[in-house]
Amino acid sequence: MVTDFVSRLQVGPILSALKRHKAGTLLIILQISLTFAIICNAFFIVEQRIDRMSRPTGMIETDMLTLQYRWAGVDASLIPSLTKADLRALRELPGVEDATQAGSYPLSGHSSTEGIRIDPGAEARIALAAEYFTDEHALATMGARLIAGRNFRKDEVAFMDPSKITSPAQVIITKALADKVYPDGSALGKPIYVGNSHPSPSTVIGIVERLQAPSPTASFSDDAILVPQLLSEGSGNYLVRSQPGQLAGLIREAPAALTRLDNMRVFPPGEGIRTFEAVRAQAYKVDRGMAVLMTSICGLLLVTTAAGIVGLSSFWVSQRHQQIGMRRALGATRRDILHYFLTENLLIASGGIGLGIVLALSLNLWMVVHFEMHTLPVKYVVLGVIVMLALGQGAVLTPALRASRTSPIEAIRHTRN
């Protein structure tokens, strides 16, 4: 049965014909294999970038304004009182629901990171976590969802010298971190040790559903702790949550209110005054650019490969004009001619795909070793096979249809001329 099927496909005559055009055949096989290897890995990279850009921060990102500031020539001992005055002014602005101060926040890019342990004597940490120094207004301002325990109380929040940070008595941690340090789900009320230099434990008083790390590329992106401490340092961030529809006005009013209180501060250009939509766009600027670049390269490669197949098929059709006419004169139908060229392309594409699979897996293995990429999933190989076969059959269709319309009389007359 297989032999009859192969015979109907005219595989033998086609392979004989391809042996007479080795250079062109090998060129197309090589082009298909390179395109296959690149698009499989490129589409995998694009999907990873899209997944990363779609990752939720754990905050309600709408109606949030971020203000990054730097004090200029201000005595460090005055920073606590200045910060309290700033927060009071921001919370009293019309259209403001709440405001908080934080050294960093999800996707801000600037972070403090500490190892987490439950045994202070253990050398190996259980997890690495982003550390958010903030106050009792952080959860409400960020819109982070508390799923267990309680929020900080006002009397638990204290200003700290960044060079003399001590272990906080209470912390709030993310669920992902809670599941790592206490896998049985009992982290609430339990002690954890934050960092290597803090011998005192901190009690987990609350667990939030999610809070992403400041760096969008962090391997511990869902592991974070909130610490009830405000740092007395020369720079920081205010997060302001507006009432619905009031954000545009706050973009003007919030920095103006802070400047009226004290004009000895600077809002850095670019990152000083941003909505969270702008923060997200800037955090993923490289990922978005990489996805666009990879997609463009794949499109260009596919178009180039299709053009190569069309060009070579058209050339072979013109070279075989007499042969096609003779076959038509001997009884071959238009469908037979069409099937001949489609089968010929199928064989060439199969050879290119076979070599392409080897190249794709080799390229992926090289990136796994050198760039910490993940192993290429099988679905991208399957997708690549479908795309390349469809591309080959689509590209050869026009020359094949033109060949099938060849008149036997015109072919013979053309040959005599």
Side-chain angles (χ1 to χ4, degrees), residues 37 41 355-368 376:
N41 284 283
L355 179 59
I357 291 174
V358 176
L359 293 177
L361 296 179
S362 301
L363 178 61
N364 175 250
L365 181 60
W366 181 78
M367 290 192 291
V368 168
L376 183 69

Side-chain angles (χ1 to χ4, degrees), residues 59-343:
M59 303 192 302
I60 299 174
E61 300 180 9
T62 55
D63 301 319
M64 185 182 290
L65 178 66
T66 68
L67 300 166
Q68 184 185 118
Y69 62 89
R70 294 173 188 162
W71 298 107
V74 171
D75 189 331
S77 63
L78 298 177
I79 288 178
S81 60
L82 292 172
T83 302
K84 290 179 182 177
D86 283 352
L87 288 171
R88 187 165 50 249
L90 289 173
R91 290 165 188 157
E92 290 176 352
L93 281 174
V96 170
E97 283 195 357
D98 210 339
T100 189
Q101 198 268 4
S104 60
Y105 53 87
L107 302 186
S108 65
H110 314 288
S111 67
S112 171
T113 304
E114 288 287 8
I116 306 298
R117 295 172 176 79
I118 57 174
D119 178 1
E123 291 187 7
R125 59 177 179 256
I126 296 176
L128 201 59
E131 200 173 22
Y132 292 120
F133 296 92
T134 188
D135 60 12
E136 75 278 14
H137 292 266
L139 296 184
T141 304
M142 292 179 173
R145 183 166 171 258
L146 188 69
I147 59 174
R150 65 172 178 85
N151 191 8
F152 299 128
R153 295 192 305 266
K154 185 177 180 180
D155 61 290
E156 294 171 338
V157 179
F159 279 89
M160 298 292 295
D161 184 330
S163 63
K164 302 176 182 176
I165 294 176
T166 59
S167 295
Q170 307 86 14
V171 293
I172 296 173
I173 66 177
T174 58
K175 184 177 185 305
L177 181 59
D179 290 341
K180 287 182 181 176
V181 293
Y182 288 101
D184 60 356
S186 62
L188 190 64
K190 297 290 182 62
I192 63 172
Y193 290 83
V194 181
N196 295 324
S197 57
H198 300 159
S200 301
S202 304
T203 302
V204 177
I205 64 166
I207 299 174
V208 293
E209 183 176 41
R210 178 188 294 270
L211 204 55
Q212 191 177 357
S215 171
T217 60
S219 59
F220 50 92
S221 61
D222 293 329
D223 300 336
I225 61 173
L226 285 88
V227 179
Q229 295 173 346
L230 297 177
L231 302 182
S232 299
E233 55 186 357
S235 63
N237 301 278
Y238 292 130
L239 301 181
V240 183
R241 174 160 299 284
S242 77
Q243 295 171 356
Q246 303 297 313
L247 183 60
L250 281 180
I251 295 174
R252 300 185 302 272
E253 293 300 325
L258 295 178
T259 303
R260 285 195 296 272
L261 278 177
D262 190 331
N263 59 8
M264 295 299 288
R265 81 179 83 227
V266 176
F267 299 108
E271 298 183 357
I273 305 167
R274 295 183 294 175
T275 63
F276 199 83
E277 182 182 5
V279 172
R280 172 174 279 279
Q282 192 158 353
Y284 291 116
K285 184 178 179 180
V286 174
D287 291 298
R288 189 166 50 255
M290 181 64 75
V292 172
L293 177 63
M294 287 292 181
T295 304
S296 301
I297 290 175
C298 289
L300 184 61
L301 280 173
L302 290 173
V303 169
T304 304
T305 302
I309 294 172
V310 170
L312 187 64
S313 299
S314 299
F315 176 68
W316 283 349
V317 167
S318 64
Q319 271 197 329
R320 299 171 186 172
H321 198 70
Q322 180 186 6
Q323 177 189 349
I324 296 168
M326 292 298 292
R327 288 195 60 193
R328 292 280 284 127
L330 293 174
T333 65
R334 293 175 60 179
R335 176 176 294 183
D336 292 333
I337 303 299
L338 180 63
H339 284 177
Y340 178 90
F341 282 98
L342 291 177
T343 303

